Amino acid sequence: MAKAQKRYVCQACGSVASKWAGQCDDCLDWNTLVEDAGAVVTPFSARHNLQAGGRAVTLVALDSEIPLPDRIPSGIAELDRALGGGFVAGSATLIGGDPGIGKSTLLLQAAAKLALAGRRVAYVSGEEAADQVRLRARRLGLGNAPVGLAAATSVRDILATFPVAPDLLIIDSIQTMHSDLIEGAAGTVSQVRASAGELIRFAKERGTAVVLVGHVTKDGSIAGPRVLEHMVDTVLSFEGERSHQYRILRAIKNRFGGTDEIGVFAMGEDGLGEVGNPSSLFLTTRGEAVTGTVVFPALEGTRPVLVEVQALTVRLASGATPRRAVVGWDSGRLAMVLAVLEARCGLSFASSEVYLNIAGGYRLSDPAADLAVAAALISAFSERPVPADVIAFGEVALSGEVRPVSHAGLRLKEATKLGFERAWLPSGVKADGIALNGFRSLGALVDFMLGR
């Protein structure tokens, strides 16, 4: 049964005692303890009362003049672009990517540049010996950088190594770390969560920017518990095909910046080099007109990237099952565009195989690519090439309407800079320096391309 909690309050100093006594233990006054009626409690609430015994938390006003955390520029402009301006002191960043994509190379280059700029940088590897990291640094021409290297997997040992907190601490990788507070082998869900929690607490308390390298599963997601991505401040994904030289660093989560920026790198003999003009990687040089190719100005954050959309249709004998293959785009969206072309524009792809590819291994998620894909399909189906100086962009609705997209002026400006002279786009857009052909519906584009 619930019972009333008895307590005795000193009338002189206000201290509380659980039982009556003639003298107060705090102020030593006599006959000052008076019974005070307490709240009715149960044994459970008595054990789990969180309103007493805690430490008051200091509240800070939102508009108070308190210095914000400092940014630490990495010296690599593309990495800083993805981070939103550089590493933030006291932050935790998680970077994931396929094996061999260049995660360790990128972080080693950033660590060397920061160390050469006078920052205290530590690189702890749980997968390689310190000599192996030094060999890679020498191959990259960074052997003279004063970066502190260590090969360790114990979180307790790592944190005890820094009486003076470094500006940047790189852990490669979090799946190899082990905390003696948790039972289990390194890499298990509990170990990854506990190790990451200790490192993140170190970052917050000591003002160190901590970077954790994460393994990925076969489907490309970061291995370990999903809560790991919630615990950190920034999640970066390093993407790209190892058969291509380019790499894209994409921010999936960023508490200190936007998640719509990318950094573009090219893998070379001296490591990862920055790519100032990404369009040069994804546009092929066409000496003559080819059917089924259209240039699309994709937008990654505030950076337009011109990529080439390639389509191929192959007519089959009647009765054969046609195939649809897509590389670099959403297969469901291709099916939607094909359905609109057939239902609204009278073009039948039922007896044709359809192949769609985004040149250079680029992956598109921008809905503005609908019109470029449709133009490439129409060109391949009718065997009429699209002029080489044309770009196309616009979103296609199920009704066949071509809808406007965001940042049309930015896309057109980039196309003009690279020498394109005409644009196929939704109607109503105005721009100088480039000829515009606006279309209200996909059927109007079909009539225009087929000369109807």
Side-chain angles (χ1 to χ4, degrees), residues 169-188:
L169 173 61
I170 298 173
I171 304 295
D172 188 6
S173 64
I174 187 60
Q175 277 78 16
T176 62
M177 295 295 112
H178 178 271
S179 173
D180 55 11
L181 300 177
I182 299 293
E183 295 290 338
T188 58

Side-chain angles (χ1 to χ4, degrees), residues 95-383:
I95 177 171
D98 293 334
I101 204 69
K103 304 183 296 296
S104 300
T105 300
L106 175 64
L107 293 177
L108 186 58
Q109 290 180 235
K113 288 183 178 293
L114 283 171
L116 291 172
R119 299 280 187 172
R120 295 188 302 273
V121 180
Y123 188 106
V124 179
S125 176
E127 301 174 346
E128 298 178 281
D131 290 341
Q132 291 178 295
V133 179
R134 290 173 60 202
L135 284 174
R136 188 167 72 249
R138 290 182 179 180
R139 179 174 57 84
L140 300 174
L142 305 172
N144 61 338
V147 178
L149 300 178
T153 58
S154 173
V155 174
R156 185 183 295 273
D157 294 344
I158 293 171
L159 298 185
T161 306
F162 304 109
V164 178
D167 296 313
L168 177 66
L169 173 61
I170 298 173
I171 304 295
D172 188 6
S173 64
I174 187 60
Q175 277 78 16
T176 62
M177 295 295 112
H178 178 271
S179 173
D180 55 11
L181 300 177
I182 299 293
E183 295 290 338
T188 58
V189 170
S190 58
Q191 280 290 348
V192 170
R193 182 170 57 242
S195 301
E198 291 295 325
L199 292 167
I200 293 172
R201 186 179 300 111
F202 174 81
K204 303 300 182 185
E205 293 177 354
R206 305 291 292 277
T208 298
V210 173
V211 180
L212 309 176
V213 178
H215 294 170
V216 295
T217 60
K218 61 182 179 180
D219 62 352
S221 59
I222 297 178
R226 190 71 176 181
V227 71
L228 179 61
E229 299 182 34
H230 294 279
M231 294 168 65
V232 299
D233 300 307
T234 305
V235 180
L236 302 177
S237 176
F238 210 30
E239 305 171 357
E241 299 291 340
R242 283 191 286 180
S243 57
H244 294 87
Q245 66 172 346
Y246 86 93
R247 305 286 190 271
I248 292 180
L249 186 64
R250 191 185 306 274
I252 300 176
K253 169 189 175 182
N254 193 351
R255 289 174 178 163
F256 307 107
T259 57
D260 52 0
E261 293 289 356
I262 64 169
V264 184
F265 302 87
M267 180 64 78
E269 296 181 357
D270 298 330
L272 291 165
E274 302 176 58
V275 178
N277 181 18
S279 301
S280 62
L281 292 176
F282 310 114
L283 289 180
T284 58
T285 302
R286 292 178 287 173
E288 58 182 17
V290 180
T291 60
T293 60
V294 177
V295 175
F296 165 64
L299 197 65
E300 296 285 356
T302 58
R303 164 181 284 181
V305 180
L306 269 62
V307 297
E308 188 174 77
V309 179
Q310 302 172 346
L312 176 66
T313 60
V314 181
R315 288 182 172 84
L316 301 177
S318 60
T321 302
R323 182 185 179 191
R324 275 87 171 101
V326 186
V327 177
W329 205 48
D330 184 14
S331 58
R333 205 155 186 91
L334 172 63
M336 185 202 75
V337 173
L338 290 172
V340 173
L341 286 172
E342 185 161 348
R344 307 295 183 187
C345 307
L347 299 181
S348 177
F349 293 85
S351 60
S352 300
E353 290 187 337
V354 177
Y355 301 90
L356 184 71
N357 177 52
I358 308 301
Y362 195 85
R363 292 185 178 91
L364 282 179
S365 58
D366 193 345
D370 291 350
L371 194 67
V373 170
L377 292 171
I378 297 168
S379 172
F381 185 79
S382 63
E383 298 184 354

Side-chain angles (χ1 to χ4, degrees), residues 387-392 412 415 419-424 434-437 448:
D389 61 346
V390 169
I391 64 165
L412 294 172
F420 290 86
E421 299 178 355
R422 286 183 285 174
W424 298 349
I434 187 171
L436 305 179
N437 293 102
F448 177 81

Side-chain angles (χ1 to χ4, degrees), residues 34-102:
V34 177
E35 182 178 351
D36 183 36
V40 177
V41 295
T42 62
F44 178 85
S45 63
R47 290 194 305 268
H48 298 83
N49 181 18
L50 300 181
Q51 297 181 355
R55 183 177 60 184
V57 178
T58 303
L59 299 178
V60 179
L62 183 62
D63 58 351
S64 60
E65 295 295 333
I66 297 178
L68 299 177
D70 296 331
R71 289 274 187 183
I72 307 174
S74 65
I76 302 176
E78 295 298 310
L79 175 59
D80 291 341
R81 176 191 291 268
L83 289 170
F87 296 106
V88 177
S91 67
T93 300
L94 176 66
I95 177 171
D98 293 334
I101 204 69

